[in-house]
Amino acid sequence: MGDLEHGASRQRRLERLADSADFRRVREQGRCWSDPRVVLCAHPNGLARVRVGYAVSKRIGKAVRRNRIKRLMRESVRAYSDLVSPGWDIVIIARQRVSVSDYWEVQGSIGHLLGQAGVFRSTDVAMTGQTG
RNA sequence: CGAGUGAGCCAGGCGACCGCGGAGGGCCGGUAACGGGCCUUCGAGGAAAGUCCGAACUCCCCAGAGCACGAUGCUGGAUAACGUCCAGGCGGGGUGACCCGACGGCACAGUGCAACAGAGAGGAGAUUGCCGCCUGCAGGCAGGGCCCUGGUUCUGCGGCCGGCGGUGAGGGUGAAACGGUGGUGUAAGGGACCACCGGCGGCCCGGGCGACCGGGUCGGCCAGGCAAACCCCAUCGGGAGCAAGACCAAGCAAGGGGCGUCCCGAGCAUGCUCGGGACAGAGGCUGCUCGUCUCAGGCCCCGGGUAGGUCGCACGAGGCGCCGAGCAAUCGGCGUCCCAGAUAGAUGGUCGCCAGCGCCGUCGACGUGCGGCGCGACAGAAUUCGGCUUAUCGGCUCACUCGCCUC
RNA sequence: CGGGGCGUAGCGCAGCCCGGUAGCGCACUUGAAUGGGGUUCAAGUGGUCGGACGUUCAAAUCGUCUCGCCCCGA
């Protein structure tokens, strides 16, 4: 509701998902979609904002590589942040293949899965967001 | 020019757009809590890594002693400390610049191990050989005869076999066999003796703070290897770790178990409570002994409940520059700078240009010119420092060594 | 941050303390018995002992460093 009040008091569109219980709820009660690079899970949170969490297993690589993958995923989600409708908790899990993917492949995967999950405000806006 | 040694440094640069975390300052909305946005500024490494050592800091609340246990191990120095660093000694490697070394132990007392081979593996051993002596009955060698191709008998011998003794030099085994060379001596030999050399020990002299080195003299050659085998000696070590620890908020705060005996006095429900005293005991101090602290008041254990916020938390054995002391590690003085603080964890994404390296193509001009493609390592702070170790594409600087060529 | 364990034949494990011969079971190969298969019996192949360096005459074993995997505690 805060983003409708005044232009100067826009709320942050994206928040981080930080609680272990939240992660577990999204994984167990939400729906999941996947492609060879990432797994995406989504679950309604009843709030007026979107929370996104990222999971990169130690099996993917060492600390530098895991940080790099998280940054690519965060940057990809940021590209779609204006298009996601509020009220969702999203968890994105890295698979083995992302370690050999570049940014555009990761963004494509995440955009495609967000579209499959149906968390965009409307479908045509999602398509325009995917190109840019 | 080629090959190499040592020391040190860098870790691509610039720009545009969109983002992230900290600090400071305004602004906007809101009573406030708070939220949003703007400006300025700062924002990973030489190893941030492995967590192998050492400390700071914090708590336990005493750490005092001994044993045990662990670590270290040439000498001197540096340092807050170290298993680190510097200098030196000794030993080893390299033509050399240089590099490597867990390098205490006859300061003292012990124990243990060495497969196989070999005679013998620790104060050992005697097969063969060498040397001396000995009988010729049995056995050895040589020759002859007989039965007949294997025995028997006769003769001879100390060269071969045998017996006794000496010896450990030679051959041989082994990773290792109780000095080496030459000589004297001897029946043959042996440090049995002599000369020189090597090594060991004692004493003396000289140099050095010292490890140790140089020289002399005497003894003796009887003194082996492994202590990353037990062990001994010297030195050091209280334990835990920022999830330490402090505060705030929230929540559970129900219940169970453990905490000696005796004597005296009082109370009553006649075996419990209270008070006093004595004795021991129990528990903590990471194992044990002494020692110390606590013991009727709360403590400990189980169970139960939270895992939110603030501090710790970034001015420090701090970085840089200059000067001085020292061979150096390092230390002192002056000036200057403020230089990451996340917490599902910031420091990123895309694009362009210029340099670097490699490959390919091209040329009236082989110029490293032009064009294209590719590569750009190892790796991400988590309380903070000092080291060590390990990973690492490529490049730069200085000093030095060896070889070849030219002048 | 602290602590512990493992790595040996294709697989699961002994051997390590106290150094000298790497062994067991399954599997694999060959042969015998059967018309064929299973089963059984006999024989056999197969191991850089995770890696590097060191101590030693000699290392799976002892020491140091390192790699990988697994498990605890706060």
Side-chain angles (χ1 to χ4, degrees), chain A residues 38-88:
Chain A
V38 292
V39 178
L40 185 144
C41 299
H43 184 252
N45 60 5
L47 303 170
R49 51 189 187 270
V50 177
R51 298 190 298 181
V52 187
Y54 306 90
V56 183
S57 158
K58 233 176 184 178
R59 168 184 315 236
I60 304 282
K62 295 189 177 181
V64 171
R65 178 166 291 178
R66 296 203 306 272
N67 281 345
R68 161 91 178 159
I69 289 165
K70 273 193 190 179
R71 285 163 184 159
L72 291 179
M73 295 197 298
R74 268 204 306 272
E75 191 67 22
S76 302
V77 169
R78 199 173 64 83
Y80 301 106
S81 60
D82 283 327
L83 308 170
V84 178
S85 59
W88 288 96

Side-chain angles (χ1 to χ4, degrees), chain A residues 62-121:
Chain A
K62 295 189 177 181
V64 171
R65 178 166 291 178
R66 296 203 306 272
N67 281 345
R68 161 91 178 159
I69 289 165
K70 273 193 190 179
R71 285 163 184 159
L72 291 179
M73 295 197 298
R74 268 204 306 272
E75 191 67 22
S76 302
V77 169
R78 199 173 64 83
Y80 301 106
S81 60
D82 283 327
L83 308 170
V84 178
S85 59
W88 288 96
D89 279 349
I90 297 169
V91 170
I92 300 175
I93 301 163
R95 294 182 132 178
Q96 200 84 33
R97 282 281 298 281
V98 288
S99 57
V100 294
S101 305
D102 65 6
Y103 168 72
W104 297 113
E105 291 172 324
V106 175
Q107 195 196 359
S109 291
I110 289 177
H112 185 65
L113 293 175
L114 284 171
Q116 280 192 346
V119 298
F120 287 135
R121 294 172 192 267

